Each structure stands twice: as structure tokens, then as C-alpha cells.
Amino acid sequence: MTAKARKGESGKFATKPAKFQGGKVGKDKHGGGGSGRFQERKKQGKTTRGKAGQSNYRNGGQSGKWKDGQTRKWRNVKASYSEWKVTEKDGEMTTRKEHTEKFPGRKVVDPKLLEKYGRGAGVNVQKIRKWNKPMIHRIKMKEQKMKEAEEEAARVELLLTESSGQLEATEGTYTAHITQSDIKKAVDITTAAKGFNLKLEYGPYLMDYTRNGRHLLIGGRKGHLASFDWITKKLHFETNVMESIHDLCFLHTERMMAVAQKQWVYVYDNQGVELHCLKMMHRTLQLEFLPYHFLLCAGNEAGILSWLDISLGKEVIRTRTGKGRLGVMCQNPYNAVLCCGHPNGTVTMWTPNSRMPVASILCHTQPLRKVTVDPSGRYMATAGVDRQLKIWDVRNLGECLKSYYINAGASHLSFSQKGLLAMSMGNVVEVFRNVVDGGCKKPYMQHKGGNTIHGMQFCPYEDVLGISTYNGFSSLIIPGAGEPNYDALEANPYISTSGRREAEVKSLLSKVPSDLITLDPMSICQVDTPTLQERIEAKKTLLHVRAPKIDPRPRYRMKGKSGSATMFKRKQKIREDAQRGYLKTALWQQAEAGLGKEYFKDKPDQEQKEQPTVLDRFKPKAAKKK
């Protein structure tokens, strides 16, 4: 179909194709089917269509109505169409619904994992009154979000692909009979290289690992100090400080370390250059570093505890324990509380917010030799001179879970990330499993060294136990000791230089104030209900106080001074004086409770007004006004 040629035009521009028109005009002009895109198209007895909800399922002249007369919304029509749309696959006709059933969706989470991450029973909505529908809706939405969070937390374990190994002994033998040489022969070359020995001359030695388990710091009593990457055996620095070393530890990165020497504590970098000399920490015996608070904690010979903020170079607090020499100390990684062992057999817990211990436990009847807390912060192990090993529940300090008798007093204790407990007695190291459930009857592994052990620690994220002796350092392979899946945002063993810089800046920005260190860290997020209720009641009492009714009875006066008008004025004055005194007392109580304005509080900053004298009449008017 073409339109008439315009006047004066010729060739291909002489004619112009006509456009299809829709609606009633198009129906009259082009046929009963309407415009082209709304027509029904038939192919070999099979009806198809271009858009959902069009003329196939509607009557010719009715819009949005089904043939049976029922009306539905457009979104329902579109949703129903997505289910029945016909698709062709392998020469067969299948519906979309049948085709998508082969891919049901996300993998179903194990119910046991859901119980592991469960947050208890939800709120019973049936007990809420029906008229409070907004509250019911908010509670339902909150419960739904909590269920989704539980499911996502359980689903994350699907990404933990690595699993921790363990030793398995043959029939008639024990795992404690397996030596380090047997393990090195059975494992691969990379794992075998993690077990090595260093023979040194300036012992006895102390040691410390970084948080990611990649770097090692060792120090001898005669002044030898060295730091190196123990996996690649790359030496960072090695020096002699020319003083005795009593303890050492890494700070927030491997580029800074604190060393407790004969007199004071010194801070070195990874090149062995002295950065600071902390003279406020005198004669220090034990050092601990709190990574999330950037606090360096020290205990000295006089029994004084001190906290130093290394990000500001300012001492937070210094307090005296009053229990003698402080040579046993460790930190609880869960709440950053210091646990100190004393010669009287007690363990005290300290925070920088109090000059008194927040908790004190009588663990042994004789002096303590070592105290350690597992990485989860749940259990504490103590060893004393009385040849006893006790396991305590830190969440319930008055309860001793297990008590074991050992052959000799344990000099060092260390928990691994997977719950193994290493214990040293002289030159012998024994590793136990399931100490909370009574697993100290037979050791999991045993190693006998050549000299007395002076330091011991499990390496994070590695199946390695490091021990420092009088003449060197030894790295022992302990299968199943380390956490196989590490969090790269928390501690990354393979972090790059730029990543380390970014992590250091982020940790400084997210530093936790020392004021938030408490025995129960969850109490910060909770409301002290009894105290709050008392304050509310006191506030109601003080803010809504009313003066009591007073019935004044003035004495009768003679000579016309007890008339009706005079008597009324005298009663009114007595009543006002009594009310004024009562309200003044109430305002004093408000000021002391901090509920109202401090009307009567002394202000030393302001100058006190001078008492008026007889000679004030000779002062000028400006001075009188002042």
C-alpha cells in the first residue's frame, strides 16, 4: 500500500509507505485484528503471542477481563504467564515451570549447622494484643531477619574447604610414640621444612610469634635479639643489646617489637634500630600487647601493672597489685583482661579502668607457675608448685572443670587454636587433646629435648609448636594444632606490603578505647535494668514532689494583734516558709542525683561577691552596681 505521490517529486521519493494505525481507526482501515503488534499470529495450528496479557486471553472488545468474566490485575497476568510460557527443547514442548525444576535453587543448609548458629526461641506474637498490629509486624520482620542471618552464618561454613588433620596410630601403639623424625618422613617437603632446630649460644632464649604466624622473634638472656620469617628463613635483623632480656613481644605489626631489658623497656623496628626507651616501665618481667586497643601491658618485680597506649605514647594507668613479684601474666583474647598469677596461689584479673582487681580466684594452695587462656576466651589453665593442673571456666569463675595430677610442676602452658594444650616439664613437652572433657590421661604427642625449656607457644594458623631452650630454638610439627581456614581481614599470613599498610591504618581508625575493657564485654550493649528502674523512680519522686499541707497554729497575742486579718497573714507566712524549706531540700536532692539543674552547687570559677560594708555609700555608682 502506498500513498499518493507529492507534487513535484519523482523517483524513489515519489511514494511514501503508509503507517499502520491502531485502535478503532486501524481496525476500520486494516481489518478486524487491530494494529500489527496486537494481532494474533498463527503458525501451523500453534498459537503464539508477542506480549503477555494480550488478545489471546481476552475477548475482542474487553480490556483486562477474562472470558469467564473475572477481573484480575496486570501483574497477576504477567506472573501467571511466566509459569505457563511454552519453550522448545530437544524437539519437545515443555513449560518453563517444568524446565526450571531441574535447578531448585540454593543448597539446603544442614539442620545441625542451623542449631549451631541458632539464637534461641523467637518472640511469641500470639501474646501481643491484636490492636498493636504495627508492633506485631515489626517483630515478625525482625524474627525473619534473624532467621536469614542464622542461615547465612551456617552457609558460610561451606566456604571453609580446609580441614584440620590429626595423627592416627596403628594397633598396639599410641600417637605419643610417634617422633618428629617419623612425621618428617611421612609428610611432604614443604611441611617437613617447618620442623627445624637452631643451635645458639646466648641462652636461655624467649620467643614470640606474630598474630598471622609468619614471623618469629627470639631473644637470649645474654642480649642476643633476632627477628626472621621462619617459613622462608629470611633474617630481618640480628643484634646484641648488651643487656639481659627478660621478655619480648611483637606489637601491632612485625615491624615493631618491645623488649624488656635489665632496666627499662625498649622498642625496636624490623631493622634493629632503637625507636623508644620506655622508662616508666622499670624492671619489667612480663609483657603483653592488646592488638585491638594498642595497649602495651607490663608487670615488674615490685608487683606493679602498667598500661601504655603506643598509638599516643601516653601511659593509661599504673596500679600496684599488692601481692609481690609479678612473674606470671597472660591476657584473655576475648575481653582483653589481664590474668596475673601470684605466689599465694590466686589468679587476679585486671582492667585499666579500675585500681582494684575485677575478679580474684584461689586456684592453688601453693605458688602459681603458669597461667594461660585459650583463644576463644572460655577456658583457663593453671599450673602450680603442688603438681596440679586445673582447667577453669572463665565465664563461671567459681567452678573448676577438671583437676589433674602431673609428675612434676609444669613450667609453661600453651593453648592452640584447635584446643590442644601443650605442657612443658623440664626438657619434656606433652600435648593433650580434650582437656576439658578429661583427655589428660594419655598425651596426644610427646617430645623430649636436650635442655630445659624456657619458652613455648603454638604458631597461629600452622600445625607447629615453637619451644625455646637454653641453647636454641626448636620447631615441632603437631598435626591438628592450627586453624586451617584463616580470615584475610583479621590476620593474613600472605599479606603484601600495601595490604599491610592498609591494615595498619584501618586498625588505627578502628581502635577500641581502653575504657571499654570489662570482664563481660557484652554488658556494654545491655541495659542495667535495676539501676535504670531505681533512677526512674527517683526521678518521678523528685520531679513530681509536692509540699505537704501545713496547718499553722500561731500563738494568740494580746493588745489587738490577733485580729482576723493579722492572723491570716501570719498563717500564710508560716505556710510559705515551710513550703520553701521543703522545696529547697528537694532541689538539693535533684542536684545530688544529677536529675535537675544544679542551682545550689558552688561554682569556684566565679568570684564570690563581697559582703556589703558601711563604707559602700562612699563608692561611685558604677562600683555599687558591681
Side-chain angles (χ1 to χ4, degrees):
M1 179 181 295
T2 59
K4 293 181 180 180
R6 297 181 180 177
K7 294 181 180 181
E9 294 182 355
S10 62
K12 61 179 181 180
F13 299 100
T15 60
K16 186 178 182 182
K19 296 182 179 179
F20 283 95
Q21 299 179 5
K24 186 176 181 181
V25 177
K27 182 177 181 182
D28 297 339
K29 186 178 291 187
H30 308 297
S35 71
R37 59 173 181 167
F38 292 103
Q39 298 186 48
E40 296 181 3
R41 293 170 291 178
K42 299 183 180 180
K43 294 182 180 180
Q44 300 176 1
K46 177 176 65 175
T47 303
T48 58
R49 48 190 288 113
K51 285 193 175 182
Q54 299 298 333
S55 56
N56 278 11
Y57 289 87
R58 297 179 182 175
N59 295 330
Q62 295 179 354
S63 174
K65 292 187 178 181
W66 298 77
K67 291 182 178 181
D68 56 357
Q70 298 179 355
T71 60
R72 294 195 179 184
K73 293 183 180 180
W74 173 261
R75 56 186 179 186
N76 295 339
V77 175
K78 189 173 182 180
S80 62
Y81 164 73
S82 62
E83 295 180 359
W84 59 257
K85 183 177 179 180
V86 179
T87 57
E88 185 175 355
K89 182 180 179 183
D90 299 334
E92 298 180 359
M93 303 303 297
T94 59
T95 62
R96 177 179 291 179
K97 187 174 181 180
E98 295 175 355
H99 181 65
T100 55
E101 283 181 353
K102 297 180 181 179
F103 306 97
R106 306 178 74 183
K107 184 178 179 181
V108 181
V109 183
D110 189 1
K112 294 182 179 179
L113 289 178
L114 291 176
E115 293 180 0
K116 177 181 177 182
Y117 293 96
R119 303 185 183 181
V123 181
N124 188 5
V125 187
Q126 302 296 333
K127 294 184 178 180
I128 303 176
R129 296 182 180 180
K130 296 182 179 180
W131 56 267
N132 201 349
K133 291 184 178 180
M135 178 65 71
I136 295 174
H137 177 70
R138 287 197 295 268
I139 292 175
K140 286 184 178 180
M141 295 298 295
K142 186 176 180 180
E143 293 293 333
Q144 183 179 357
K145 290 181 179 179
M146 292 181 67
K147 290 181 180 179
E148 293 176 358
E150 294 173 5
E151 183 180 354
E152 292 299 327
R155 195 180 296 278
V156 167
E157 290 203 1
L158 300 175
L159 303 176
L160 306 180
T161 56
E162 300 293 336
S163 59
S164 58
Q166 61 180 359
L167 285 179
E168 293 183 359
T170 58
E171 296 182 0
T173 60
Y174 299 101
T175 55
H177 297 165
I178 302 175
T179 61
Q180 290 295 311
S181 59
D182 297 336
I183 295 176
K184 292 179 182 179
K185 292 178 182 178
V187 299
D188 58 290
I189 299 175
T190 306
T191 306
K194 296 179 181 179
F196 59 92
N197 297 319
L198 297 178
K199 292 185 178 181
L200 306 172
E201 301 177 358
Y202 303 99
Y205 279 88
L206 301 171
M207 43 109 24
D208 185 48
Y209 286 105
T210 54
R211 291 181 60 211
N212 58 7
R214 188 63 186 261
H215 304 274
L216 176 64
L217 177 66
I218 58 174
R221 183 61 61 87
K222 299 178 182 179
H224 182 208
L225 183 66
S227 174
F228 59 96
D229 186 342
W230 69 272
I231 295 180
T232 60
K233 311 301 186 294
K234 179 182 178 181
L235 182 66
H236 298 322
F237 78 93
E238 185 177 14
T239 184
N240 197 315
V241 298
M242 305 303 293
E243 282 185 358
S244 60
I245 296 177
H246 298 274
D247 200 7
L248 44 81
C249 69
F250 277 107
L251 298 184
H252 55 286
T253 61
E254 69 276 4
R255 300 175 64 88
M256 292 181 66
M257 56 212 72
V259 181
Q261 297 177 198
K262 182 179 180 180
Q263 290 291 335
W264 303 301
V265 175
Y266 292 84
V267 179
Y268 298 92
D269 65 354
N270 61 340
Q271 302 297 326
V273 179
E274 179 184 330
L275 300 179
H276 303 284
C277 177
L278 308 177
K279 293 188 178 181
M280 70 278 293
M281 296 181 176
H282 182 68
R283 295 278 184 177
T284 302
L285 298 177
Q286 292 289 326
L287 288 175
E288 287 290 339
F289 180 71
L290 308 180
Y292 300 104
H293 305 79
F294 281 81
L295 293 179
L296 179 63
C297 311
N300 65 1
E301 293 180 351
I304 298 176
L305 271 176
S306 58
W307 285 264
L308 176 70
D309 190 342
I310 65 166
S311 62
L312 302 175
K314 181 181 178 181
E315 187 177 21
V316 178
I317 191 175
R318 179 187 299 180
T319 182
R320 184 180 296 274
T321 60
K323 296 182 183 295
R325 189 174 185 267
L326 191 57
V328 179
M329 186 174 68
C330 72
Q331 65 165 306
N332 188 344
Y334 175 66
N335 51 17
V337 174
L338 291 182
C339 303
C340 302
H342 303 285
N344 59 357
T346 60
V347 173
T348 56
M349 298 184 182
W350 300 81
T351 64
N353 306 319
S354 174
R355 294 189 176 274
M356 298 297 293
V358 294
S360 180
I361 316 167
L362 179 61
C363 298
H364 298 265
T365 57
Q366 296 184 16
L368 283 170
R369 300 196 64 181
K370 199 64 180 177
V371 177
T372 185
V373 182
D374 74 321
S376 64
R378 299 179 180 178
Y379 305 108
M380 179 178 66
T382 60
V385 182
D386 53 357
R387 297 189 300 175
Q388 285 189 5
L389 174 67
K390 293 185 178 181
I391 309 297
W392 302 82
D393 189 351
V394 182
R395 297 165 295 180
N396 187 9
L397 300 177
E399 180 181 0
C400 179
L401 299 179
K402 294 291 179 180
S403 179
Y404 305 97
Y405 281 94
I406 52 181
N407 296 331
S411 58
H412 292 85
L413 298 173
S414 179
F415 270 107
S416 74
Q417 292 178 322
K418 301 301 289 184
L420 302 182
L421 177 63
M423 179 174 53
S424 66
M425 297 169 290
N427 62 340
V428 178
V429 178
E430 293 183 350
V431 182
F432 298 90
R433 290 189 299 182
N434 302 324
V435 291
V436 180
D437 301 330
C440 278
K441 297 180 180 179
K442 295 180 181 179
Y444 171 59
M445 289 193 67
Q446 188 175 10
H447 174 76
K448 186 176 182 180
N451 288 280
T452 305
I453 297 172
H454 289 270
M456 181 175 61
Q457 184 182 353
F458 277 100
C459 180
Y461 307 105
E462 293 286 349
D463 294 342
V464 169
L465 173 64
I467 58 174
S468 57
T469 59
Y470 187 85
N471 61 349
F473 173 82
S474 299
S475 180
L476 309 180
I477 301 175
I478 310 295
E483 175 63 42
N485 301 284
Y486 65 89
D487 186 359
L489 299 177
E490 176 70 17
N492 188 0
Y494 309 102
I495 193 170
S496 60
T497 304
S498 60
R500 179 190 54 77
R501 293 172 183 169
E502 293 293 330
E504 186 174 0
V505 173
K506 289 180 180 178
S507 60
L508 279 170
L509 293 176
S510 60
K511 184 183 74 170
V512 181
S514 60
D515 299 338
L516 300 181
I517 299 178
T518 57
L519 189 62
D520 183 13
M522 300 305 295
S523 62
I524 300 175
C525 306
Q526 298 175 356
V527 179
D528 191 357
T529 307
T531 307
L532 179 63
Q533 190 67 25
E534 292 176 1
R535 291 180 63 87
I536 291 174
E537 294 295 334
K539 186 175 181 180
K540 288 181 179 179
T541 305
L542 294 176
L543 295 182
H544 301 281
V545 64
R546 290 184 179 180
K549 293 183 179 181
I550 300 172
D551 186 15
R553 294 181 181 180
R555 63 186 184 85
Y556 182 77
R557 293 185 179 182
M558 301 296 291
K559 298 182 180 180
K561 294 183 179 180
S562 295
S564 59
T566 308
M567 187 69 71
F568 175 78
K569 291 180 180 179
R570 288 168 58 191
K571 290 182 180 180
Q572 189 71 13
K573 184 178 180 181
I574 293 172
R575 190 181 295 109
E576 290 178 355
D577 292 342
Q579 291 179 354
R580 187 180 296 108
Y582 188 83
L583 293 175
K584 187 177 181 179
T585 304
L587 290 175
W588 269 104
Q589 294 177 0
Q590 288 183 6
E592 292 178 357
L595 301 174
K597 295 182 180 180
E598 300 176 350
Y599 294 104
F600 301 95
K601 194 170 184 180
D602 295 335
K603 299 180 180 180
D605 297 337
Q606 298 181 358
E607 296 182 358
Q608 298 291 338
K609 293 183 178 180
E610 298 180 358
Q611 296 292 334
T613 61
V614 180
L615 301 177
D616 287 346
R617 65 180 182 273
F618 299 107
K619 291 182 180 181
K621 295 182 178 180
K624 288 182 179 180
K625 290 181 180 179
K626 292 182 180 180

